[in-house]
Amino acid sequence: MPDFVLRPAADTDAAWIAELRAVVMRPDLERLERFDPVRVRERFLNSFQPEHTYIIHSDGVDAGVIAVRPEPDARWIEHFFIAPAHQGKGLGGAVLRHVMAASVDERPFRLDVLQGSPARRLYERHGFTLESEDAIDVFMVAPGNS
């Protein structure tokens, strides 16, 4: 299992995360004919909540990001991106397992993933199932801890 540390994000991480988001999401957004280099960054910057966001530090570098936004009825996993150089090594699965295991209540986890994204397989391996979908997004849910 890959070694990693989750450190709380700061306001100063916003630009780096926005760039990582653009790089990671570009292939899926281009496939769906929805890539806009400005909008992909602005959407993140307009919704960034550092108090719910963690930088994934692995192999001596910041290798990714994950946000867990609490809502009364669920915890939303958002902005979960692993830098391309760190993908395919089990880091995403290890982080997802850690975040889900750290759950302190029964609220389910929810997320959305772009249609056709290979990330969907990662989520399915960790207990997420289809909740609903449209032409662009797939909304998934996994049970919380009881």
Side-chain angles (χ1 to χ4, degrees):
M1 186 164 87
D3 266 350
F4 67 91
V5 173
L6 297 181
R7 73 163 172 83
D11 288 333
T12 54
D13 291 310
W16 175 80
I17 298 169
E19 187 60 31
L20 177 63
R21 179 181 195 269
V23 168
V24 171
M25 291 188 70
R26 184 175 188 146
D28 285 331
L29 289 171
E30 284 180 340
R31 180 179 40 76
L32 294 168
E33 298 180 358
R34 300 194 51 98
F35 182 74
D36 177 319
V38 173
R39 186 168 185 262
V40 71
R41 291 166 177 87
E42 282 180 350
R43 276 192 78 188
F44 171 77
L45 292 171
N46 291 336
S47 66
F48 179 47
Q49 296 178 314
E51 66 272 19
H52 302 302
T53 307
Y54 299 90
I55 304 302
I56 303 162
H57 192 81
S58 182
D59 290 334
V61 298
D62 292 340
V65 63
I66 188 168
V68 182
R69 181 176 49 85
E71 291 289 330
D73 63 343
R75 284 157 299 173
W76 281 87
I77 294 177
E78 300 175 318
H79 311 303
F80 186 20
F81 306 113
I82 304 293
H86 298 273
Q87 292 177 7
K89 301 175 182 178
L91 181 59
V95 169
L96 191 56
R97 268 190 306 279
H98 173 80
V99 165
M100 293 177 77
S103 166
V104 294
D105 62 43
E106 72 286 346
R107 285 178 295 167
F109 289 94
R110 286 195 160 83
L111 57 79
D112 71 272
V113 62
L114 292 172
Q115 284 285 3
S117 173
R120 181 174 178 172
R121 290 189 302 278
L122 168 71
Y123 300 133
E124 289 171 340
R125 285 194 307 270
H126 288 86
F128 283 84
T129 57
L130 176 67
E131 189 167 41
S132 66
E133 63 185 319
D134 59 31
I136 303 297
D137 294 298
V138 176
F139 294 89
M140 303 182 81
V141 62
N145 294 331
S146 332

